[in-house]
Structures are given as structure tokens and as C-alpha cells.
Amino acid sequence: MSSFDEMDAFEGASLSARAMAARPTPYLDDLNPAQRAAVEALDGPVLMLAGAGTGKTKALTTRIAHLLTTGRARPNEILSVTFTNKAAREMKDRVGRLLGQPAEGMPWMGTFHSICVKLLRRHAELVGLKSNFTILDTDDQVRLLKQVIAAENIDEKRWPARQLASLIDNWKNRAWTPAKVPAAEASAFNHRGTELYDYYQTRLRELNAVDFGDLLLHMVTIFQDHPDILEQYQRWFRYILVDEYQDTNVAQYLWLRLLASAHKNICCVGDDDQSIYGWRGAEVGNILRFEKDFPGAKVVRLEQNYRSTEHILKAASGVIRGNEGRLGKELWTDAAGGEKVRLIGHWDGEEEARWIGEEIEAMQRGARGMRPFDLDDMAILVRASHQMRAFEDRFLTIGLPYRVIGGPRFYERLEIRDAMAYFRVVVSPDDDLAFERIVNTPKRGLGDKAQQKIQVTARVNGVSLLDGARLLLQDKGITGKGAGELGALIGHLDRWGGLVGAKDVSHIELAEMILDESGYTAMWQNDKTPEAPGRLENLKELVKALESFENLQGFLEHVALIMDNEQESDGAKVSIMTLHAAKGLEFPAVFLPGWEDGLFPSQRSMDESGLKGLEEERRLAYVGITRAEEVCTISFAANRRVFGQWQSALPSRFIDELPEAHVDVLTPPGLYGGGFGAAQSSVETRAAEANVYNSPGWKRMQSRAGERGVSQPRESRNMVIDATAVSAHTTGERVFHQKFGYGTITGIEGDKLEIAFEKAGTKKVVAKFIMAADDIPF
Ligand code: ATP
Ligand code: MG
């Protein structure tokens, strides 16, 4: 309840304002004084700069609830920007909980991209687009750049399209239109960079398309060139809130500054130690500039961490201390005691995945001397998405439910992309890239030659490919089977296009119609490859996904923007995601696998950006550890297969930066040790062994384990058993194989054994993967 003192401030105010101010605000009681100050300072600029888990997002959400409760702003007058769609959804839920009712009608809560796409649709014509423009994904972008490069007779092998794509992205992140690219960049891409950028933008306009960078760039341009429009939005968005401010790039920063410059009601929260998107143009300097841009800003610092236990917090602080040039913050927590950070070394990545799988099941049961954890409470955070495969494989094998967040997405699958291309052409007939994708899928007898003719006709007449195809048919530039099929396709497209938004045909029916009448569904029905049934399932799933959208366009937009592929959740699941995707999230138990130099810190990042790259990696480590509330488990493997190649590795240098007093070293159980599972020649094995066991991190683990009276890991004792393994086996012997389970040897042939497995049937396997059943410790 507002106190009478606070009411005094309303003397002379209207009755309605006083009534609004008298509404209960119980949520304020859940805040500490610093948070409360940030929430109650509703007007004017506020910067909340604080470490992980100190309640920045909580304060931000409460501020939104407070703006609504006190009647300062209506839901549609609040612009609140978060980093991912998932975070936006969560924020909406949190506001709803604070208000005690669902937070309805908050159209401007979302990511920079999702908000800008909505704005740009309203003003597309100001940058030469139509309001139904398409959003290209990276693949389409690269394909278009390839065409641009080819058209300019540049050798794509020497000057790859991907390189140009990243150059242009960088420029767009800095809000540079082609005209604004500074002279200092003139030598980029063999001195052709700026010119190709300009040409690319022209092509995008012709295709009525934008790439991701354009969403912000175009909006900044519109605001800068049209003060009347900017003013309209300044009035409209009366309050602006930004989470994860440390990761905004220059274009995003300019966009925010333009919108906030009139009323200055902007509240940004962030943590310089969690800036992890430097590689995408994020400028941590934006935080430091805030006080300059908004003089008199209220700066709030928070120091109490409410998320993690002391051991976890101290471990994270110990690692981040290695970075220079920090603003420097000391965090504290009330949560003393609990588990130390757990550290474990494995032989290889498969073993690491196996161990984590079993550990998750054990923790679920409440083994390990801890409380039982629900699957939803546990997450695996990886540095690189290729690490996920091992976990996915393993979890599928043992039937452990999991979800991949932000990983290989459903919408990136071939059949889904094809289907979406059909939808795109129907909604936006100028979308040449989509047209190109579907014109001969399924096969319509329109090979390269025919497609080239379409391209030329379109170019000569300055029309879209679809219209080019129409003209070509009219002029009889194409004949035979192809002509008939093309005519039929155009007829279909026109008819489907006419049904977009029709009253009597829902967009779901339309989608089904498109897939069936185009022959696309039949194409997979007639396909005899093992993948075909799965693809048909996916197509069904796609149509199902349409149900939660009002129309095809809304759906296409959603997919273009989607950042995570959280599937419909029935039942608890372990989450797997990258460290980048985990920003802002929290889980009771977190696994951090793959802490090996080269993988984490990532070699590429260090090669490309040197010390700066290493420091960004260290911030990622800090983000990772601080996601954990109660249990944080860090692991590494001595060997790893990266893109099909075995590589031996040293434990991550970050491991040695963990403060010893807050770390427990675990010993892998025997089953995971040894030549067991190590698909290597023994020379490599020994090399890896020498490497890993001589590394300081490993030695330290050994001595710590020794101190605690724990025996040495098994692998250091029986690492090279494989040489003797063959002669050790006899037919009739009962053995165990890591993948196929128990079985009996029925034949021996060199180093290969024929084994009748109890579950998997008879198989030939290499002897070194086999263990005598008696040796299995459980
Ligand atoms: P990050 O930097 O990781 O994004 P954050 O600063 O945004 O962290 P929040 O996610 O807002 O932190 O809060 C961390 C946890 O602490 C949440 O579970 C939140 O509910 C809890 N929390 C925040 N403030 C308080 C408080 N005053 N009292 C009790 N719990 C709090
Ligand atoms: Mg947060």
C-alpha cells in the first residue's frame, strides 16, 4: 500500500491519479532497497549496472508492473526489449504474475528484431519496400550475395560470399548504410566492399526483402530522415526498458537513443561481465556512455546475488577476476554452504555424455546426497553447438527426455524450408529466392536452362521471377512438358494467392492445399529413402504449428525471427543449449561440459581477437557458472572428435582459475575409464595421455583427489589395455559392450569379435571396445 507520505506527493493531483496511486503494490515488498529505488524512479533515465543474479531482470519486470499499476502507462505505451523471444515470453509471464492477472496487450515487448519488423511493416515504403517484404535468413542472404558476386564477375572462390555477408553485417551493426561506410573501409573485400554492399541493397529492394541487419538499419534511417515519424513514436513509447543492455550493438543503441531522446524515460539494465556478443558487434561501451547521453541518470548498483550458493558465486568471481578492464563488482550471497562446484575429467566426449546422462538420472532419484532434482531443473550448457550431438545421441539411447533450445532448428530442415518457400511465394509473389527454390521442386521438367530463361526474361523486363515466367510462357519461350507444368504452377500460385485472407478458407486449409496441390507431399510419399517418413511427419508438424497464428504472414514472420525451437512441452525435460542462449536464465543444476582449451576458450575466438577474444570467452565462463543455483558441474575430456577428427586436448585454462576452496574433484567411475570407448590408435592414446596427464589442471586434480583419499581415475592405470585385449578373450565368454550391452563371444577373427548380444543381436565388433562382463563394476 502506498503510505500517506507518498500520497502527499499527489496533493493537487487529479482524483483519478490519486486513486491509481492508492492501488496496492505488494510486489514492491519483494525487493531490496536498491531494487525498489530503481523501480520507483519511474521517470527519467535509470541505469542498473550489476552482476549476475542480483535481480536486474526482476527489478525491470517489477518496474513494468508498477508502471501499469500506478497508471503511468498503458500496456501499449511500454517498449521493453529483451534479448531472445524466450526471454520476452518469460518477462510477460513474470509481469502477469506480479499483476495477478495475465499481462495482455503488451505488443511492444520483444526482441529488437521482432519490434523493428512490426515498425518497418508500417513504414516500408520510406525505404523502398512494400509492407509485405520477406525476411531473409542467413542462407538466403548468402545465396543472394553469391549472385551479386557472380554478376560482378568476381571470383567467388577467392572472395567468398560468406565473407562479404559478415562484412555487410558488421557495417549494418554499426548503422552504416552504403553511403555512410567511412572511407577508412574502402579497401574492404578487395576494394569492392562498399560498391557490392550498395548493389546488394538494391537487389534486396527489388526482391522486396530485408536481411536481419536491415530491420534495425532501416528503422534508424527512417527515424533519422523523418523527424515527424520519430516524434510520433517518442510520444507513443512513453517508457522504454532494456534488459541485457551490455549486448546492444551500435545500431540498436542509436535506435534506443533516438526514441528516448525526448522524454528520457529509459531504464537499461546490464552487466559488463556478461557481454558476450562482441563478435556480433555488441559494444560494452554503450553502458559506459549511458551517463553521458543521459546526464543526471539514476545509477543503481546491486550487490546481493539471490540466485546461487556461495561456492558457485565465489567460483564464478574467481574466474572473471582474470579479466582486465572490468568495472569490478563484488557480489555476496546469503546462501552459504551447499555443494562445491564439481569438477570431473573424462577420457572422451562420448564418455562425458554418458556420465552426464547417468548423473542426471542419479540426481533425479535424489542420489548423490542431494535433494532430488526435476528434469526441468537441469541444464547442459555447451560452448559450441556441435557438442550437443553427443548428448542428444546418448539421451535418445537411454530415453532421457531433453529439449534443445536454440539448436539445430526444426525450421532449418530441408522439407520445412521447401514448404515455407511455397508459403512465401504465395504471400509475397515478388520473393524470387523462394520462387527459385520451389519452381522445380518437385521436378517439373524445368532444368537449369529453363530456369535461366526465366531469370533472363525477368531481368530484361524488370519484373519478379514469377512474372518473368508468365511472360516467358506467353511468348512461347518455353515449350513441351516444362511449359505445361510451369503454367499449372503459375495457375496454382495465383489461385492460392487469391485465397490468402479469404473468409471461407482458413490459412491452415490453405497450407494443406498448397502442399498437396503442388505435388510436394506426394514427392515425399513416393520417396523411398529412410528419411521420407520423418519428413512427412515434419510437414504435418508444420501445419500443426500454423494453428497458433492468425495467418500465413504472421507465421512466416515468426519463423524468420524464431531463435529457439522449444517444442510443445509435455513432461519434464533436461535442457541443452549453448552458453550464449543461456544468458539471463537460471537452473538449480547446471552441467558445463567441454572445458578444454581450444573448445573453451574457443581457439577461433582467440585466433581472431587475441586477448579480447579470450576475455569474451572468460565472460562466457562467468555466464555459464552463474546460471547455476545449487549444483554446478564442470567437465572436460582428454580426447574429442571435432568434425570427424580425433583431437587430444588440454583442460581449459579457466579450470585452473577456479578457486580451489570452492571446488570438489570427482573421480569417474571405473566403467568410464580405460581404452573402453577410446576409438584411437594406442600411439595417439598415449600422446593424449601424456598431454592430459601432464597438464597442470590434471595434476592438480590428481593431487586434490589424493588428498581426499580417492583412488586414481581408472584410465591412468589401464589406459593401454587394448593391445592385450584380443588374446584375453575366448569364445563362449560373456562380455559387455558400451553400446550393445551384454553378449557372448561366438567367434574371434584377429582383433574382431563376433558376439551374440542379448538385446542387439549378433554383431562384429572391435575387441578393444569389449570388456569381460566380470570386470563391470556394477
Ligand atoms: P542475470 O545477470 O543472470 O540476468 P539478473 O540480475 O537479471 O541476473 P534475476 O534473474 O532478476 O537476476 O534474479 C535472479 C534470481 O534472484 C531470480 O530467481 C529472482 O527471482 C531472485 N531475486 C531477485 N531479487 C530478489 C529479491 N530482492 N529477493 C529475493 N529473490 C530475488
Ligand atoms: Mg537478467
Side-chain angles (χ1 to χ4, degrees):
M1 262 306 224
S2 301
S3 70
F4 283 109
D5 284 352
E6 280 168 285
M7 288 298 290
D8 286 347
F10 283 88
E11 247 183 27
S14 69
L15 276 176
S16 62
R18 291 176 65 169
M20 286 307 276
R23 291 170 61 171
T25 53
Y27 46 78
L28 292 178
D29 299 337
D30 295 339
L31 302 175
N32 64 35
Q35 288 174 318
R36 195 166 166 151
V39 168
E40 291 188 309
L42 288 177
D43 293 314
V46 175
L47 175 66
M48 216 184 304
L49 187 61
T54 52
K56 297 183 297 295
T57 304
K58 184 182 169 87
L60 197 81
T61 343
T62 310
R63 198 179 152 90
I64 295 173
H66 201 49
L67 284 167
L68 296 171
T69 305
T70 54
R72 287 298 177 103
R74 287 191 288 268
N76 61 347
E77 293 173 328
I78 298 175
L79 173 70
S80 58
V81 192
T82 59
F83 215 76
T84 60
N85 293 318
K86 184 179 166 65
R89 257 197 324 274
E90 235 156 62
M91 186 168 277
K92 201 170 260 181
D93 290 349
R94 280 213 218 177
V95 173
R97 277 200 297 275
L98 292 171
L99 293 174
Q101 61 189 57
E104 299 293 352
M106 301 218 47
W108 306 107
M109 182 179 273
T111 61
F112 280 106
H113 283 150
S114 72
I115 292 169
C116 282
V117 75
K118 273 196 212 165
L119 294 176
L120 191 55
R121 291 235 184 260
R122 295 160 171 250
H123 304 288
E125 78 288 355
L126 297 178
V127 284
L129 295 164
K130 291 184 222 158
S131 67
N132 63 347
F133 60 80
T134 322
I135 306 165
L136 301 190
D137 61 15
T138 317
D139 248 36
D140 285 337
Q141 187 191 4
V142 169
R143 212 133 43 97
L144 182 59
L145 282 168
K146 272 194 179 143
Q147 292 171 8
V148 166
I149 289 172
E152 292 291 295
N153 290 320
I154 297 170
D155 180 6
E156 216 259 326
K157 284 205 182 65
R158 282 193 57 204
W159 296 97
R162 285 193 182 275
Q163 189 182 328
L164 184 57
S166 94
L167 181 70
I168 291 177
D169 279 345
N170 278 331
W171 288 346
K172 288 185 175 176
N173 286 340
R174 294 190 165 81
W176 292 340
T177 55
K180 284 190 188 149
V181 175
E185 304 273 317
S187 63
F189 210 76
N190 203 19
H191 298 273
R192 304 285 301 274
T194 328
E195 169 199 345
L196 292 172
Y197 176 22
D198 201 16
Y199 183 24
Y200 170 65
Q201 292 304 97
T202 309
R203 283 296 292 142
L204 282 171
R205 260 195 300 279
E206 286 167 1
L207 297 169
N208 191 29
V210 301
D211 62 21
F212 276 105
D214 279 339
L215 294 173
L216 267 140
L217 182 70
H218 284 326
M219 280 320 299
V220 169
T221 309
I222 290 171
F223 285 164
Q224 284 171 338
D225 295 351
H226 302 271
D228 50 324
I229 291 178
L230 175 62
E231 263 171 49
Q232 177 197 332
Y233 285 105
Q234 286 171 338
R235 279 197 301 275
W236 196 333
F237 300 134
R238 299 182 47 216
Y239 289 90
I240 301 176
L241 301 98
V242 189
D243 200 358
E244 307 282 359
Y245 185 60
Q246 75 279 357
D247 281 322
T248 50
N249 62 35
V250 173
Q252 292 163 338
Y253 161 79
L254 285 176
W255 183 80
L256 287 170
R257 204 178 65 177
L258 284 163
L259 281 171
S261 60
H263 53 58
K264 304 194 171 55
N265 292 329
I266 179 166
C267 170
C268 295
V269 315
D271 175 7
D272 59 310
D273 286 335
Q274 294 185 68
S275 157
I276 54 176
Y277 280 94
W279 54 285
R280 261 212 230 149
E283 298 262 347
V284 72
N286 291 340
I287 291 194
L288 311 173
R289 213 163 4 185
F290 190 88
E291 288 183 73
K292 264 203 211 109
D293 287 340
F294 298 100
K298 186 177 182 67
V299 179
V300 177
R301 294 184 202 279
L302 307 172
E303 281 169 352
Q304 180 171 5
N305 171 296
Y306 292 93
R307 179 180 294 146
S308 313
T309 62
E310 190 177 10
H311 287 309
I312 293 171
L313 195 59
K314 288 270 166 63
S317 305
V319 171
I320 197 66
R321 207 165 289 140
N323 272 7
E324 297 189 350
R326 302 170 54 220
L327 295 176
K329 307 177 230 67
E330 273 307 316
L331 302 186
W332 60 276
T333 169
D334 267 346
E339 291 292 312
K340 290 186 177 182
V341 168
R342 309 186 311 160
L343 176 63
I344 182 164
H346 296 284
W347 174 248
D348 63 15
E350 307 295 314
E351 181 189 300
E352 182 180 55
R354 209 157 51 229
W355 182 81
I356 290 180
E358 309 216 339
E359 192 63 12
I360 286 171
E361 290 181 330
M363 287 172 66
Q364 210 186 351
R365 289 193 306 271
R368 306 288 182 260
M370 297 182 240
R371 72 169 178 94
F373 288 84
D374 197 60
L375 289 182
D376 282 332
D377 289 345
M378 297 189 266
I380 300 171
L381 313 181
V382 297
R383 173 63 185 92
S385 58
H386 67 75
Q387 285 173 265
M388 292 181 187
R389 205 257 334 139
F391 295 104
E392 291 199 51
D393 276 2
R394 183 63 196 160
F395 295 173
L396 285 171
T397 311
I398 62 176
L400 184 70
Y402 71 90
R403 66 168 74 83
V404 174
I405 294 179
R409 305 163 208 185
F410 177 77
Y411 295 107
E412 280 166 3
R413 296 174 192 169
L414 171 86
E415 64 280 12
I416 301 301
R417 297 178 65 97
D418 286 344
M420 304 275 301
Y422 271 101
F423 300 165
R424 276 164 55 183
V425 185
V426 171
V427 170
S428 173
D430 290 350
D431 191 335
D432 285 359
L433 293 168
F435 182 84
E436 221 176 59
R437 186 174 180 110
I438 54 117
V439 65
N440 199 33
T441 310
K443 295 250 177 308
R444 297 191 172 92
L446 299 163
D448 287 351
K449 246 208 195 121
Q451 291 191 38
Q452 226 157 21
K453 278 189 190 167
I454 299 177
Q455 297 265 10
V456 171
T457 317
R459 205 170 321 135
V460 169
N461 293 282
V463 295
S464 68
L465 287 182
L466 175 56
D467 286 338
R470 244 186 262 278
L471 291 175
L472 191 65
L473 273 182
Q474 270 169 18
D475 299 340
K476 305 248 175 331
I478 182 169
T479 49
K481 177 177 177 278
E485 293 256 16
L486 183 60
L489 175 66
I490 294 174
H492 281 315
L493 287 171
D494 289 344
R495 192 162 41 80
W496 298 326
L499 292 173
V500 173
K503 285 213 172 57
D504 48 349
V505 181
S506 76
H507 65 293
I508 298 165
E509 289 166 327
L510 176 60
E512 276 172 327
M513 194 187 289
I514 294 171
L515 295 178
D516 290 343
E517 294 181 353
S518 62
Y520 191 71
T521 314
M523 178 180 107
W524 289 117
Q525 281 163 343
N526 298 331
D527 190 295
K528 294 295 168 246
T529 60
E531 292 87 38
R535 295 194 194 278
L536 286 164
E537 297 258 338
N538 287 341
L539 289 172
K540 274 194 209 144
E541 193 61 38
L542 177 71
V543 175
K544 216 157 101 202
L546 282 168
E547 287 171 9
S548 28
F549 292 84
E550 269 174 33
N551 52 40
L552 275 183
Q553 183 172 315
F555 176 68
L556 291 174
E557 211 160 80
H558 164 78
V559 174
L561 292 170
I562 205 161
M563 299 183 99
D564 56 37
N565 74 332
E566 252 206 295
Q567 280 136 20
E568 290 315 304
S569 167
D570 38 2
K573 292 185 178 102
V574 176
S575 301
I576 309 176
M577 69 193 89
T578 61
L579 288 163
H580 282 98
K583 202 168 63 141
L585 306 182
E586 57 190 15
F587 300 90
V590 166
F591 289 88
L592 301 170
W595 279 43
E596 296 127 37
D597 253 32
L599 181 55
F600 189 40
S602 131
Q603 193 61 46
R604 178 136 54 99
S605 169
M606 292 188 292
D607 289 348
E608 282 171 11
S609 317
L611 183 62
K612 239 174 106 190
L614 176 64
E615 295 212 328
E616 181 147 319
E617 295 289 307
R618 194 175 277 116
R619 290 193 291 271
L620 259 183
Y622 176 76
V623 168
I625 300 171
T626 54
R627 297 311 95 199
E629 296 170 9
E630 295 170 55
V631 188
C632 176
T633 309
I634 295 173
S635 56
F636 62 89
N639 303 282
R640 198 170 286 279
R641 197 162 27 190
V642 179
F643 299 121
Q645 302 262 318
W646 278 101
Q647 291 177 2
S648 61
L650 297 176
S652 167
R653 65 192 73 187
F654 300 149
I655 288 180
D656 285 328
E657 295 174 4
L658 294 164
E660 300 212 22
H662 301 285
V663 178
D664 250 349
V665 176
L666 304 187
T667 306
L671 174 63
Y672 304 110
F676 212 66
Q680 287 201 301
S681 81
S682 52
V683 177
E684 282 173 300
T685 306
R686 286 194 207 101
E689 183 190 1
N691 265 340
V692 71
Y693 297 115
N694 283 330
S695 77
W698 183 265
K699 280 188 180 147
R700 213 152 58 107
M701 279 187 49
Q702 293 293 289
S703 71
R704 284 190 204 157
E707 279 161 27
R708 297 170 61 242
V710 181
S711 67
Q712 273 200 340
R714 189 184 173 103
E715 51 260 68
S716 59
R717 282 180 281 125
N718 63 357
M719 184 69 59
V720 245
I721 56 165
D722 42 345
T724 53
V726 179
S727 56
H729 294 297
T730 50
T731 40
E733 185 188 345
R734 196 170 126 84
V735 291
F736 179 85
H737 182 274
Q738 53 163 333
K739 193 159 166 199
F740 304 126
Y742 289 98
T744 307
I745 298 179
T746 50
I748 300 178
E749 210 179 285
D751 65 342
K752 293 207 185 62
L753 306 175
E754 189 185 74
I755 298 172
F757 288 103
E758 288 162 15
K759 295 225 173 81
T762 298
K763 297 203 182 305
K764 279 206 174 123
V765 297
V766 181
K768 69 177 173 186
F769 295 127
I770 293 302
M771 222 179 182
D774 297 344
D775 282 354
I776 306 294
F778 50 81

